[in-house]
Amino acid sequence: MRNLIKYLIPAFLLAAPIALPAQAQTYPTRPVHVVVPFPPGGFTDVTARLIAQKLGEALGQQMVIENRSGASGLLGVEAVTKAVPDGYTLLITTGDFIETPSLMPKMGFDPNKDLLPVAMIASAPLLLGAQAGGPIGSVMDLIAQAKARPGQIAFSSPGTGTINHLAVEWLAIEAGLKLIHVPYRGGAPAATAIAAGDVPVGAVTISSAQSLMDAGKIKPIALMTRERPSFAPADWPTLSEMGFPVDAALWVGLFVPARTPPAIVARLDAALARLLHDATVRKRLNELGTEAAAISGSAFADRIRLDAAHYAKIIEQTGIHVEH
């Protein structure tokens, strides 16, 4: 993890906005491919489709979404690291891959050196959800049952090593629990598993679980962020209100392959910043259970560095590892 963090900042500083030379004024001249490393229907996919549509309108070109799921999102990330760095292959993904390189030492690439961040798009609070009418109706139920049956209560997440996974492990550390992790290939399947009773609880985004909550199949039992976002219902408790200092949000960012021309990076950053300040876009993001971020440059790098350092401690304490 020390090596991972060491490489973060130099790469991020290259993405600082600069004056746009003529090269960027005509970009893009053909459709742009946007890789989303998770299946359709989940939080990342829904957010990416909204942003890609608006970004395409702003730049005057079609943005073509490509869902490439697998390996907790790493397959899609790897595809982008190997793409031609010409601005015609973009990546919209969560912050999960910041952690997964430390869990997969056999990977043949380093996303923190082989990718260049453009900007953080949005940040979403994670939600601890339970099967409606199932055996667990609250966080205190979860704690009581997990302590009575150590190592027998399962939870779902979009994949091993994802922020969702680590957030529940964070709660387990704070509450002194031993839980069973059941990984799925994305947020939508993880939410469906809760609703079907395949697992009693899981860590998902509001977007991934919203339709199932509306259908009365998933009950939200806690927000996993320290503060309640403005769009969240007042009757959804936070873990911090229950005495657990868990603060887990899932951010989504826009990335390009390393060595993409700085002028193109700056053009993408500027276009993204404008659309994320649009009231209609911000409202739609709230409806998806997230908030616009519009953070780039050193501020984005700082956020990633802090997240990486914190989750590294959880990985060390739990001994989580992934084979790639």
Side-chain angles (χ1 to χ4, degrees):
M1 179 55 68
R2 289 193 184 95
N3 289 335
L4 180 155
I5 296 172
K6 177 177 69 176
Y7 288 119
L8 287 175
I9 301 307
F12 292 143
L13 293 178
L14 295 177
I18 61 173
L20 299 181
Q23 175 187 14
Q25 299 303 323
T26 58
Y27 167 84
T29 59
R30 64 179 191 270
V32 176
H33 291 262
V34 182
V35 174
V36 178
F38 296 101
F43 164 69
T44 311
D45 178 68
V46 174
T47 303
R49 289 177 186 277
L50 168 65
I51 296 304
Q53 177 189 344
K54 296 297 183 181
L55 190 60
E57 293 171 0
L59 296 177
Q61 272 294 341
Q62 180 185 11
M63 297 281 164
V64 181
I65 295 287
E66 295 183 10
N67 294 95
R68 297 193 185 186
S69 61
S72 299
L74 263 292
L75 292 183
V77 174
E78 181 174 12
V80 176
T81 66
K82 299 182 183 308
V84 177
D86 57 3
Y88 289 92
T89 301
L90 312 181
L91 172 70
I92 294 183
T93 190
T94 63
D96 297 314
F97 76 83
I98 296 302
E99 300 306 326
T100 45
S102 66
L103 304 174
M104 299 180 179
K106 296 181 182 179
M107 284 197 312
F109 71 99
D110 184 345
N112 298 295
K113 292 195 298 181
D114 299 334
L115 288 176
L116 196 62
V118 178
M120 186 190 299
I121 295 170
S123 181
L126 290 180
L127 183 73
L128 191 61
Q131 181 193 26
I136 295 174
S138 68
V139 172
M140 300 317 294
D141 281 348
L142 170 62
I143 292 172
Q145 292 187 35
K147 288 190 173 181
R149 300 161 55 205
Q152 297 182 51
I153 304 297
F155 70 94
S156 67
S157 85
T160 301
T162 59
I163 301 300
N164 307 57
H165 175 197
L166 298 177
V168 180
E169 297 289 1
W170 187 353
L171 172 61
I173 290 170
E174 296 293 341
L177 310 178
K178 183 175 178 57
L179 303 171
I180 300 174
H181 176 231
V182 182
Y184 288 82
R185 289 172 62 95
T192 299
I194 301 169
D198 296 333
V199 292
V201 296
V204 293
T205 58
I206 296 171
S207 174
S208 296
Q210 189 65 64
S211 63
L212 294 168
M213 290 192 290
D214 292 342
K217 296 181 178 180
I218 289 181
K219 176 183 179 180
I221 60 175
L223 286 164
M224 305 189 80
T225 45
R226 183 172 292 113
E227 303 292 337
R228 179 181 292 100
S230 59
F231 57 82
D235 60 349
W236 289 5
T238 65
L239 289 176
S240 61
E241 290 171 346
M242 289 178 267
F244 303 106
V246 176
D247 189 17
L250 191 65
W251 55 256
V252 174
L254 175 64
F255 297 81
V256 294
R259 297 175 299 283
T260 296
I264 290 177
V265 174
R267 181 163 170 77
L268 288 166
D269 185 15
L272 190 58
R274 284 192 297 271
L275 73 88
L276 287 175
H277 282 92
D278 180 85
T280 301
V281 173
R282 296 175 75 89
K283 180 181 178 182
R284 178 58 182 147
L285 286 171
N286 285 172
E287 292 170 352
L288 294 175
T290 186
E291 293 182 304
I295 300 172
S296 58
S298 61
F300 191 14
D302 288 344
R303 170 63 185 270
I304 293 173
R305 183 179 62 243
L306 290 172
D307 283 357
H310 177 76
Y311 287 115
K313 295 179 182 178
I314 295 175
I315 292 169
E316 183 178 0
Q317 286 181 267
T318 57
I320 298 169
H321 66 279
V322 179
E323 295 297 330
H324 181 252

